[in-house]
Amino acid sequence: MQRRLRTSTALPSAWVPTFAPLTCRRWKSGPYGYTQAKALVYSKYGEPSDVLSLHNHSISPSLPSSSLLLRALAAPINPADINQIQGVYPSRPPFTSLLGTASPSAVAGNEGCFEVQAVGSGIKSVSKGDWVIMASTSFGTWRTHALADESAVLKIENKDGLTPIQVGTVSVNPCTAYRMLKDFETLEEGDWFIQNGANSGVGRAAIQLGNLWGLNSINVIRDRPDAEATQAMKDELLSLGATHVVTESELVSNSFSGQIGEWTSGGSKKVKIGLNCVGGKATSALIKCLSTSGHLVTYGAMSKQPLMLPAGALIFKDIKFSGFWVSRWSDNNVAEKKRMVEELLDLTRKGRFKDAPVQQLKWDWGTEEGVLKEAVQGTLEGFRAGKGVLVFGDT
Amino acid sequence: MQRRLRTSTALPSAWVPTFAPLTCRRWKSGPYGYTQAKALVYSKYGEPSDVLSLHNHSISPSLPSSSLLLRALAAPINPADINQIQGVYPSRPPFTSLLGTASPSAVAGNEGCFEVQAVGSGIKSVSKGDWVIMASTSFGTWRTHALADESAVLKIENKDGLTPIQVGTVSVNPCTAYRMLKDFETLEEGDWFIQNGANSGVGRAAIQLGNLWGLNSINVIRDRPDAEATQAMKDELLSLGATHVVTESELVSNSFSGQIGEWTSGGSKKVKIGLNCVGGKATSALIKCLSTSGHLVTYGAMSKQPLMLPAGALIFKDIKFSGFWVSRWSDNNVAEKKRMVEELLDLTRKGRFKDAPVQQLKWDWGTEEGVLKEAVQGTLEGFRAGKGVLVFGDT
């Protein structure tokens, strides 16, 4: 594959492309047919603003028989992508020289929606114009184009009525919510779950899936600076199907266990599962809301505090503690991931599942490196209202 | 049943027995046939030395058709028994007036071996002379005699070659070790487990069962004051079948992960399960020894410190955390408990499973209340080398 990927910027002279002059954008109709592409790459771990660079390269039109040429439509900026660049994430893409970078590099980004632009002669399962998402993590999705093996993508069977953003953001947050509600405890209609970070992408997905599946939910949000903002967030989550929404200060108040008892008919209905992305004291309070033999599933640690487990909760209350990492799950369950994604997208198409609010960050051909790095930095610093999604335009 | 239980000490006058004068020990051959009995009871929660009292009563010979008359042979003093008396244990026996105490009371003790002295006319499954253990917790075993429903006991099918102490101590510690190694992860021959408190009753049972089942064990003990005592304890556990024995200070040393790697052939063999009865920092170090997707099962908290779970261990290393409470398990799995007890006693009979060292505390008819309370207090204060077991003599 290395021979087919040509480069155009800041390379040792041995790498300066001789076959793909970059005076025009593409040669699709020309004799060479090279595709000119850009990718946000990093060759060492660090802060995105320090280590990311926009790398230009070109892709040969002679596709290997088992390969696809993809064009990016939308790719979100997830917190895990940032942690991966910082080198503090356990899954690390391999650093390679395949894109012709000066040093071995990785393309950043893990999730996205791509359109198939061309297929190798041996490809049966996807065709030009199809939309695909990544089968596994560490694909490197912050790029305008990519060559991919057929096995690296999952075809979206029916893209009608869907946006690239909906497809490009389905496989991390909604899938995390789906698996946590399905795989850890057998939940029956009328059962309850409790979650913190309820207005996150995962939280919103859990509210809606729980509602569709007949579950009741207790949703914890952080206290807002003013009552009006708190009420607005509560109303927003209630409109998605939340049964109850409470603030962290309501959760830790003494009267809250009585409130839970009232909601669950004195405990005759069980709070079987808790979804946790916070940690520390706020999670200790959440654990107390679980029924005997309940299960806390942790998928994040926004407070950066560890969980404190009193032995009594483990031994006498029989609370089980597990973690969920969608990357591991996806890599081990490709077929079920595809089925679940289709189910979620079908719900989206029918208007029964709303994607979380996002802030679109346009990536056109002329978009400069600094602008893209700032977009990434925005997620890192958390000042963005919705999730940042790179939306590819004229690339 | 209340009418059949007569009392002899410190009762309101309405309770002074009129049918069962206590001038002689028993009337087995006499016209009344009353059995004179003693029990360590408590009518309020508190320190055993404050709240326990030795209560005399008598049991009518007219057994209900579904009842058994039992005579105690051996009953251990487990830490949980003490916590139950202190009122800090979640399972609490009902306080009743059945024994004719001045205030409603509970008989202390949960585990024990009893001999059947007489059976009601409707009893089919046990006969006079059989040995039984308790089917559930909170039976009240610190007493010379008891009336019991048939369903409250499990018959020991073959008591040949067994001592009352072996039978009377099988259902808490060895059963806890058995279930923790069987029910949480599928362990295959050659797999590893790690445990702290390795010289406890549960720890010794886990070492021996692990060894019988082809498992390798890493056993953590507290540091002894001198190297000789440490080595003696290591040797003792190695002789039971421990693969390796290490001290807490060895466990927390930087070189220990390398040591684990060496023992497990660079991780090609998995440390699938950890058994924890300590908590706090020593357990954090133990958790780090588990392989990916390992499972920590907590059954005690000797350090009285909670577990600290870094979210990464849950999410990325996929470590699962559960608790095990033998009381709950036993109450829900009576048939399997009986089968397992027979299996353990069969191993004991064949010399393949050694019971933990105990200190025998004799309870004869003349043993005074103060002596018995001191025996209990000895467990509370932890100065005893082996587990204290009340051994009933001439009662």
Side-chain angles (χ1 to χ4, degrees):
Chain A
M1 193 192 281
Q2 187 162 334
R3 290 288 84 192
R4 280 183 199 85
L5 299 169
R6 311 279 164 182
T7 185
S8 63
T9 56
L11 291 177
S13 58
W15 276 98
V16 173
T18 50
F19 301 115
L22 294 174
T23 46
C24 67
R25 288 276 320 290
R26 286 178 201 153
W27 291 272
K28 280 200 181 124
S29 55
Y32 299 114
Y34 278 84
T35 298
Q36 190 176 343
K38 294 189 183 186
L40 275 172
V41 301
Y42 56 107
S43 59
K44 61 179 180 188
Y45 298 115
E47 288 311 300
S49 55
D50 296 334
V51 300
L52 280 184
S53 68
L54 187 61
H55 172 70
N56 285 25
H57 63 104
S58 57
I59 301 173
S60 160
S62 338
L63 288 182
S65 65
S66 67
S67 286
L68 312 167
L69 174 62
L70 305 177
R71 183 174 81 89
L73 299 178
I77 301 169
N78 288 312
D81 302 326
I82 309 282
N83 296 146
Q84 202 175 41
I85 297 164
Q86 291 169 325
V88 297
Y89 201 66
S91 117
R92 300 175 171 197
F95 283 25
T96 74
S97 298
L98 292 175
L99 296 190
T101 47
S103 312
S105 299
V107 179
N110 291 278
E111 195 182 14
C113 173
F114 285 76
E115 182 188 65
V116 177
Q117 280 208 311
V119 299
S121 58
I123 302 290
K124 297 273 187 298
S125 65
V126 291
S127 317
K128 187 167 186 298
D130 282 346
W131 287 5
V132 298
I133 62 172
M134 281 51 250
S136 306
T137 45
S138 296
F139 179 86
T141 56
W142 298 355
R143 53 168 138 192
T144 62
H145 300 80
L147 272 186
D149 281 347
E150 190 174 10
S151 64
V153 303
L154 299 180
K155 178 185 164 186
I156 303 304
E157 297 297 339
N158 177 8
K159 68 187 185 193
D160 290 351
L162 298 174
T163 68
I165 292 178
Q166 288 168 334
V167 173
T169 60
V170 73
S171 63
V172 172
N173 289 341
C175 290
T176 295
Y178 190 112
R179 297 317 332 169
M180 291 196 298
L181 290 177
K182 282 283 188 196
D183 295 348
F184 291 83
E185 291 294 322
T186 305
L187 298 177
E188 285 153 23
E189 224 166 287
D191 280 338
W192 289 73
F193 70 93
I194 183 167
Q195 65 169 342
N196 52 31
N199 61 315
S200 68
V202 173
R204 287 162 187 262
I207 288 170
Q208 297 181 83
L209 292 174
N211 188 43
L212 287 166
W213 297 338
L215 307 176
N216 294 299
S217 60
I218 301 164
N219 298 278
V220 185
I221 57 173
R222 276 178 293 185
D223 294 82
R224 264 58 191 168
D226 62 272
E228 208 175 324
T230 301
Q231 194 56 49
M233 179 54 76
K234 285 188 174 183
D235 290 344
E236 190 179 338
L237 299 185
L238 289 167
S239 77
L240 286 178
T243 314
H244 299 288
V245 186
V246 298
T247 62
E248 275 190 3
S249 56
E250 289 170 322
L251 173 71
V252 301
S253 73
N254 287 334
S255 60
F256 196 67
S257 68
Q259 179 67 80
I260 294 256
E262 202 177 293
W263 287 341
T264 58
S265 314
S268 66
K269 287 292 180 180
K270 302 293 178 203
V271 185
K272 283 191 182 168
I273 204 159
L275 311 182
N276 167 48
C277 65
V278 176
K281 280 185 186 168
T283 296
S284 300
L286 186 142
I287 292 167
K288 289 187 187 143
C289 301
L290 292 170
S291 301
T292 298
S293 300
H295 202 142
L296 187 82
V297 185
T298 292
Y299 66 97
M302 293 195 315
S303 76
K304 298 191 163 57
Q305 300 293 315
L307 266 64
M308 304 270 287
L309 304 192
L314 284 158
I315 303 172
F316 303 128
K317 210 173 163 191
D318 191 30
I319 306 290
K320 292 170 280 289
F321 295 84
S322 302
F324 182 75
W325 188 21
V326 71
S327 303
R328 175 185 284 115
W329 185 89
S330 299
D331 293 353
N332 293 334
N333 297 275
V334 174
E336 171 59 10
K337 175 179 173 181
K338 182 166 158 60
R339 192 210 59 75
M340 170 178 57
V341 161
E342 298 291 351
E343 180 185 341
L344 286 164
L345 292 177
D346 196 49
L347 290 169
T348 306
R349 186 183 297 112
K350 291 173 175 157
R352 302 180 68 198
F353 184 85
K354 291 190 175 64
D355 41 320
V358 300
Q359 184 178 338
Q360 299 189 27
L361 308 159
K362 209 69 192 282
W363 182 338
D364 289 318
W365 183 257
T367 305
E368 291 185 2
E369 179 182 284
V371 172
L372 292 171
K373 286 166 75 169
E374 210 170 275
V376 175
Q377 204 70 21
T379 292
L380 179 61
E381 288 159 14
F383 61 68
R384 188 172 291 130
K387 187 205 308 247
V389 179
L390 298 165
V391 178
F392 297 81
D394 170 30
T395 53
Chain B
M1 192 193 278
Q2 186 161 337
R3 289 290 80 193
R4 281 185 195 87
L5 300 170
R6 311 282 163 180
T7 184
S8 64
T9 55
L11 291 179
S13 58
W15 276 99
V16 173
T18 50
F19 302 114
L22 295 173
T23 46
C24 68
R25 288 275 320 289
R26 285 178 202 154
W27 291 273
K28 280 205 181 118
S29 54
Y32 300 114
Y34 278 83
T35 297
Q36 191 176 342
K38 294 188 182 185
L40 275 173
V41 300
Y42 56 107
S43 60
K44 61 179 181 190
Y45 298 114
E47 288 311 300
S49 55
D50 295 335
V51 301
L52 280 183
S53 68
L54 187 61
H55 172 69
N56 285 24
H57 64 103
S58 58
I59 300 173
S60 160
S62 337
L63 288 182
S65 63
S66 67
S67 285
L68 312 168
L69 175 62
L70 305 177
R71 183 174 80 89
L73 300 179
I77 303 170
N78 288 312
D81 302 327
I82 309 282
N83 296 147
Q84 201 174 43
I85 296 164
Q86 291 168 324
V88 297
Y89 201 66
S91 118
R92 300 175 172 199
F95 283 26
T96 75
S97 298
L98 292 174
L99 296 190
T101 46
S103 312
S105 298
V107 179
N110 291 277
E111 194 182 15
C113 172
F114 286 76
E115 182 187 65
V116 178
Q117 280 209 310
V119 300
S121 58
I123 301 291
K124 296 276 188 295
S125 66
V126 291
S127 317
K128 187 167 184 298
D130 283 346
W131 287 4
V132 297
I133 62 171
M134 281 51 250
S136 305
T137 45
S138 296
F139 180 86
T141 55
W142 298 355
R143 53 169 139 192
T144 62
H145 300 81
L147 273 185
D149 281 349
E150 191 175 8
S151 64
V153 302
L154 299 180
K155 177 183 163 186
I156 303 304
E157 297 296 340
N158 177 9
K159 68 188 184 193
D160 291 352
L162 298 173
T163 68
I165 291 177
Q166 287 168 334
V167 173
T169 59
V170 74
S171 62
V172 172
N173 288 342
C175 289
T176 296
Y178 190 112
R179 298 314 334 166
M180 291 195 298
L181 290 177
K182 281 284 188 194
D183 295 347
F184 290 83
E185 291 295 323
T186 305
L187 298 177
E188 285 152 24
E189 223 165 288
D191 279 338
W192 289 74
F193 69 93
I194 183 166
Q195 63 169 343
N196 52 32
N199 61 315
S200 69
V202 173
R204 286 162 188 263
I207 287 170
Q208 296 180 83
L209 292 173
N211 189 42
L212 286 166
W213 297 338
L215 307 176
N216 294 300
S217 60
I218 300 164
N219 298 278
V220 185
I221 58 173
R222 277 177 294 187
D223 293 82
R224 265 57 190 168
D226 61 273
E228 209 175 323
T230 302
Q231 194 55 50
M233 179 55 74
K234 285 188 175 184
D235 290 343
E236 190 179 339
L237 300 185
L238 290 167
S239 77
L240 287 178
T243 314
H244 299 289
V245 186
V246 298
T247 62
E248 275 189 4
S249 56
E250 289 170 321
L251 173 72
V252 301
S253 73
N254 288 335
S255 60
F256 196 66
S257 67
Q259 180 65 82
I260 294 255
E262 202 177 294
W263 287 341
T264 58
S265 314
S268 67
K269 288 291 179 180
K270 300 294 177 202
V271 186
K272 282 191 180 169
I273 204 160
L275 312 181
N276 166 48
C277 65
V278 176
K281 282 185 187 169
T283 297
S284 300
L286 187 141
I287 292 167
K288 289 187 187 143
C289 301
L290 293 170
S291 301
T292 298
S293 301
H295 202 143
L296 187 82
V297 184
T298 292
Y299 66 98
M302 293 195 315
S303 75
K304 296 192 163 57
Q305 300 293 314
L307 266 65
M308 304 271 286
L309 305 192
L314 284 158
I315 303 173
F316 303 128
K317 210 173 163 190
D318 191 31
I319 306 289
K320 293 168 280 292
F321 296 84
S322 302
F324 182 75
W325 187 21
V326 71
S327 303
R328 173 184 285 116
W329 185 89
S330 299
D331 293 353
N332 293 335
N333 297 276
V334 175
E336 171 60 10
K337 175 178 171 179
K338 184 166 156 58
R339 191 209 61 74
M340 170 179 56
V341 161
E342 299 291 350
E343 180 185 340
L344 286 164
L345 292 177
D346 196 49
L347 291 170
T348 306
R349 185 184 297 112
K350 292 173 176 158
R352 301 180 68 196
F353 185 85
K354 291 191 175 64
D355 40 320
V358 300
Q359 184 178 339
Q360 299 190 30
L361 309 159
K362 209 67 191 283
W363 183 338
D364 288 320
W365 184 257
T367 305
E368 291 185 4
E369 180 182 284
V371 173
L372 293 172
K373 286 165 76 169
E374 209 170 277
V376 175
Q377 204 68 22
T379 291
L380 179 60
E381 288 159 14
F383 61 69
R384 189 172 291 130
K387 184 197 326 237
V389 179
L390 299 164
V391 178
F392 297 81
D394 170 30
T395 54

